[in-house]
Amino acid sequence: MKRLRLTVAVLLATLGVAVIPPPAQAAVACSVTYTKTWDSGGGFGANITISNVGDPVSPWTLRFAWPGNQQVGLGWNGTWTQSGQNVTVTAPSYAQSLGSGASVTVGFNGTYSGANAAPSSYTLNGVTCGGNPSPSPSPSPSPSPSPSDALAVVTAMQPGWNLGNSLDATGQGETSWGNPAITPQLLDNIRAQGFNSIRIPVTWGQYLGGAPGYTISPAHLNRVKEVVGWALADGFYVMINVHHDSWQWINTMPTDRTNVLAKYNAVWTQIAAAFRDHSPKLLFESVNEPQFTGASGDAQNASLLNELNTSFRTIVRNSGGGNTNRLLVLPTLHTSADQARIDELNSTFLALDDPNLMATVHFYGYWPFSVNVAGGTRFDTTVQQDLNGVVDRVYNGFVSRGIPVIMGEYGLLGFDRHTGTVQQGEKLKFFEYLGHYARQRGITTMLWDNGQHFGRTSFQWSDPELAAQIKSSWTTRSGTASSDQVYVPRTGTITAKSLTLNLNGTTFQGITGLTQGADYTVSGSTLTLTASALTRLAGSRAYGVNANVSARFSTGVPWRISVITYDTPQVAPATGTTSAFAIPTSFRGDQLATMEAKYADGTFAGPHDWTSFKEFDVAFAPDYTGNRITLTPAFFAEVADARKVTLTLHFWSGAQVTYHVTKSGTTVTGTTT
């Protein structure tokens, strides 16, 4: 049969008849999980997870009917409409596709009267979930910008995602840093989340042969080509680079220039040859976070980086094929947005005079906030002004001059340890504003993900609330508030509590499940939850979160407000060693924000002795399940012997608790008096 079809096709072609293949058909099949997240007896919220067990679909549409008198109020991660009992959820602009094996979670807050039963059936693109796959036409891909229009390409690359800690791992193999092997299913699912570009960091050093050829291991090069191929097949713009080599051996260039340059040139000569005929949607980045050890100063640093970037561009262009006009990405020194670094790279752009070049910087926020040190616990004016300064310098230095910019990595540095280093509401405000301001300035952003955000095998976000805020920032603004927490006492009278609304250009729409006037009031930007509403929401007043309510705004995602019952935390005496010491702590519903450390004379104790506020999860770390606060060996390494240190533990409720520690050799004694 195959031979016959081929013969007919050849015959028709010989006769000059165009052979048009039938359109591809996608088999749609799905399953749905409905999870109620809260219910106040009139108001409620729920998440609906759609799992695609058939072929990829784009765009997707979910439909279902309520069995009772339920009404969707505010929905997210999709466009929600309701007519009678029938509800339709269409894919948002930032996540049109749902790949094979992928899932997406949409959510809403609503109201009801009478019973509040879950829907009994759902359809995805007209096919009943749980039924047999049925064919539906596959959409035609949208046209890509011309590769010669660098600005348009950078715009089309928004938003982007980093496949971190895999092919860039410095051990033997992509799994040596703990992540599983990359699969096409992972890339399918990332694409389904709405990402249009993917940065694939690659470290080459441990796979290189000796001088003079520095031959790349064929197995490693082929693996990189395989992953790049999967990403291109998914429709991504793809960026590969020379990654941790920057601090492994390229950094020795000040004292070993000839050998480093020869090795660097050999690596890029081989990469350029391997990918010369790949899609123009593949981009090359010269080097990640370039840095030099032992340089004489800024002038030499700038000269060495210019030499690397120039050599990289020459090698790629001279390799021919698609590389003659491939889009190339050049970093500033350290991928910094300091003005001097921007000016240095601008000199390189001016000298190269190549329209197919882009600039890249990285951004991890104002350092005290990013790691939670020096009292930087909140997304305040200082943090916002620092962000504005970075984005404005990049815009004025590059974008306004016609040079496209990719923020090749962004996040918070505290995430290197875990995402709880920065308080949830404060980090949500950071990502909301960063997404907005970068978008306003025409800068494409690529989220750094080392495996802690999107599960490499679960294909789920570890923090759906954070993911929703990031996604929303791609297209619009969201309202926020001065806090996402309202603390009420465990005993005694509960009083009204106020928060300041940050409208961010939106309008306040209300609080789902609560009644304006009786449950809350709004005066200007002040939202006040009444004593009666808080008393009802606190219920039995068990320690911890008693209820979550959602403030709704005209655009973006809702702002969760947690009602938390607490008492001032209690600590107890303890003994231990400098390598193993913890303060016994009864948190009683509260959470630790930061810790101060001072000697009796008022001078600062511990690491970062320029501030009394120590670094979260570096000098100290709360353990809520273990009922303790650990003081680390790094903290005691910089504490003087036989000098009592007074610790002030600051909690998010506003409570402060005092504790004392004294180090004697390797022995540590902790007291409450």
Side-chain angles (χ1 to χ4, degrees):
M1 183 65 75
K2 289 182 180 178
R3 185 183 300 275
L4 176 60
R5 280 202 297 266
L6 179 61
T7 303
V8 172
V10 171
L11 176 60
L12 290 174
T14 303
L15 296 175
V17 179
V19 181
I20 302 175
Q25 300 288 303
V28 178
C30 53
S31 64
V32 169
T33 302
Y34 178 93
T35 305
K36 194 183 299 182
T37 55
W38 65 276
D39 191 328
S40 64
F44 75 113
N47 289 329
I48 302 174
T49 300
I50 312 158
S51 298
N52 181 15
V53 295
D55 290 340
V57 293
S58 179
W60 55 264
T61 300
L62 176 74
R63 289 187 171 89
F64 63 88
W66 290 119
N69 188 26
Q70 294 112 321
Q71 178 67 47
V72 172
L74 178 70
W76 51 89
N77 288 358
T79 301
W80 292 74
T81 57
Q82 181 169 343
S83 177
Q85 292 176 298
N86 299 311
V87 178
T88 301
V89 190
T90 56
S93 60
Y94 56 79
Q96 292 276 296
S97 302
L98 190 59
S100 295
S103 62
V104 63
T105 298
V106 298
F108 69 92
N109 290 323
T111 59
Y112 72 95
S113 60
N116 188 20
S120 58
S121 66
Y122 306 82
T123 65
L124 180 66
N125 288 18
V127 176
T128 301
C129 291
N132 294 323
S134 300
S136 61
S138 297
S140 300
S142 56
S144 300
S146 166
S148 62
D149 188 346
L151 282 167
V153 168
V154 166
T155 300
M157 290 174 67
Q158 174 66 8
W161 181 82
N162 273 270
L163 181 58
N165 286 23
S166 286
L167 290 172
D168 55 317
T170 58
Q172 288 301 312
E174 68 193 78
T175 63
S176 61
W177 280 5
N179 276 324
I182 303 162
T183 63
Q185 290 77 24
L186 169 63
L187 303 188
D188 292 346
N189 278 274
I190 285 295
R191 189 76 170 104
Q193 294 298 318
F195 291 101
N196 291 320
S197 60
I198 184 169
R199 181 171 179 255
I200 304 176
V202 185
T203 298
W204 304 90
Q206 69 269 43
Y207 302 103
L208 300 180
Y214 300 106
T215 302
I216 299 172
S217 158
H220 186 58
L221 184 57
N222 287 336
R223 177 58 172 161
V224 174
K225 291 174 71 174
E226 180 178 44
V227 175
V228 167
W230 291 340
L232 290 171
D234 267 339
F236 282 110
Y237 286 90
V238 182
M239 182 159 64
I240 60 173
N241 68 357
V242 170
H243 202 75
H244 290 305
D245 307 81
S246 63
W247 58 264
Q248 288 187 308
W249 53 271
I250 294 174
N251 64 321
T252 64
M253 196 172 176
T255 55
D256 193 21
R257 176 185 167 279
T258 299
N259 290 324
V260 168
L261 189 60
K263 191 173 182 178
Y264 177 83
N265 289 347
V267 169
W268 269 115
T269 297
Q270 294 171 81
I271 297 171
F275 291 98
R276 69 190 297 274
D277 296 321
H278 274 61
S279 164
K281 294 181 79 170
L282 174 64
L283 287 68
F284 296 157
E285 177 188 18
S286 64
V287 59
N288 173 70
E289 297 181 353
Q291 54 199 275
F292 302 105
T293 301
S296 59
D298 287 349
Q300 187 181 19
N301 282 330
S303 175
L304 293 174
L305 180 56
N306 176 70
E307 187 170 18
L308 290 177
N309 280 332
T310 300
S311 185
F312 157 75
R313 184 251 178 201
T314 300
I315 289 167
V316 174
R317 291 287 180 254
N318 289 344
S319 64
N323 290 341
T324 56
N325 63 352
R326 187 174 301 285
L327 293 170
L328 305 180
V329 183
L330 307 184
T332 58
L333 184 70
H334 305 295
T335 53
S336 163
D338 289 349
Q339 190 61 54
R341 308 290 81 81
I342 292 172
D343 293 343
E344 291 160 0
L345 186 58
N346 257 320
S347 296
T348 299
F349 277 107
L350 185 64
L352 295 178
D353 191 24
D354 185 334
N356 292 319
L357 299 179
M358 304 175 181
T360 186
V361 298
H362 294 174
F363 183 63
Y364 285 95
Y366 179 62
W367 182 70
F369 173 75
S370 189
V371 302
N372 191 348
V373 72
T377 58
R378 294 188 180 275
F379 180 72
D380 58 14
T381 301
T382 300
V383 180
Q384 183 173 323
Q385 288 177 345
D386 175 80
L387 189 158
N388 288 348
V390 166
V391 175
D392 287 346
R393 287 193 298 275
V394 169
Y395 174 81
N396 293 326
F398 295 125
V399 180
S400 67
R401 303 180 184 187
I403 300 170
V405 174
I406 298 171
M407 189 176 285
E409 295 180 16
Y410 74 95
L412 290 169
L413 292 173
F415 286 2
D416 284 348
R417 298 185 295 279
H418 61 79
T419 58
T421 299
V422 179
Q423 195 272 337
Q424 182 74 359
E426 303 306 315
K427 79 170 73 107
L428 293 176
K429 287 183 276 189
F430 170 83
F431 282 98
E432 190 281 331
Y433 188 76
L434 173 58
H436 153 72
Y437 203 61
R439 174 165 48 87
Q440 290 294 104
R441 290 303 208 175
I443 297 170
T444 287
T445 56
M446 306 187 87
L447 176 68
W448 177 256
D449 190 350
N450 60 14
Q452 66 189 175
H453 292 310
F454 192 78
R456 300 288 171 93
T457 56
S458 69
F459 309 140
Q460 299 290 324
W461 291 100
S462 58
D463 186 344
E465 186 177 50
L466 175 60
Q469 188 68 270
I470 290 172
K471 289 181 178 182
S472 178
S473 75
W474 298 339
T475 57
T476 191
R477 294 219 66 179
S478 296
T480 64
S482 53
S483 179
D484 63 342
Q485 304 175 112
V486 171
Y487 282 87
V488 298
R490 177 72 175 83
T491 58
T493 302
I494 293 177
T495 59
K497 304 290 184 181
S498 295
L499 298 171
T500 301
L501 295 174
N502 306 313
L503 294 176
N504 299 330
T506 72
T507 56
F508 177 70
Q509 302 289 296
I511 299 179
T512 301
L514 300 186
T515 302
Q516 187 166 358
D519 296 329
Y520 67 91
T521 61
V522 179
S523 177
S525 61
T526 301
L527 168 68
T528 301
L529 296 171
T530 65
S532 59
L534 289 172
T535 300
R536 185 177 72 251
L537 292 167
S540 64
R541 292 162 83 170
Y543 285 138
V545 177
N546 302 133
N548 292 311
V549 296
S550 295
R552 307 188 315 275
F553 300 87
S554 54
T555 63
V557 295
W559 181 255
R560 171 194 45 76
I561 302 170
S562 296
V563 179
I564 304 170
T565 291
Y566 85 105
D567 274 327
T568 299
Q570 295 177 336
V571 293
T575 57
T577 67
T578 53
S579 60
F581 181 84
I583 305 169
T585 307
S586 177
F587 290 98
R588 307 210 295 177
D590 215 337
Q591 292 202 329
L592 187 62
T594 187
M595 181 188 82
E596 288 186 271
K598 297 180 181 179
Y599 295 114
D601 61 3
T603 57
F604 306 146
H608 303 311
D609 61 4
W610 47 270
T611 176
S612 63
F613 291 92
K614 303 297 102 176
E615 186 172 351
F616 195 101
D617 212 42
V618 171
F620 68 97
D623 178 356
Y624 297 108
T625 58
N627 295 310
R628 61 184 186 172
I629 298 170
T630 299
L631 301 183
T632 66
F635 172 75
F636 287 113
E638 299 191 44
V639 167
D641 213 48
R643 292 185 68 186
K644 183 167 72 172
V645 177
T646 297
L647 306 177
T648 304
L649 305 170
H650 295 260
F651 293 86
W652 280 105
S653 68
Q656 296 182 19
V657 175
T658 301
Y659 195 78
H660 308 280
V661 292
T662 304
K663 182 179 82 168
S664 178
T666 59
T667 300
V668 177
T669 302
T671 64
T672 58
T673 58

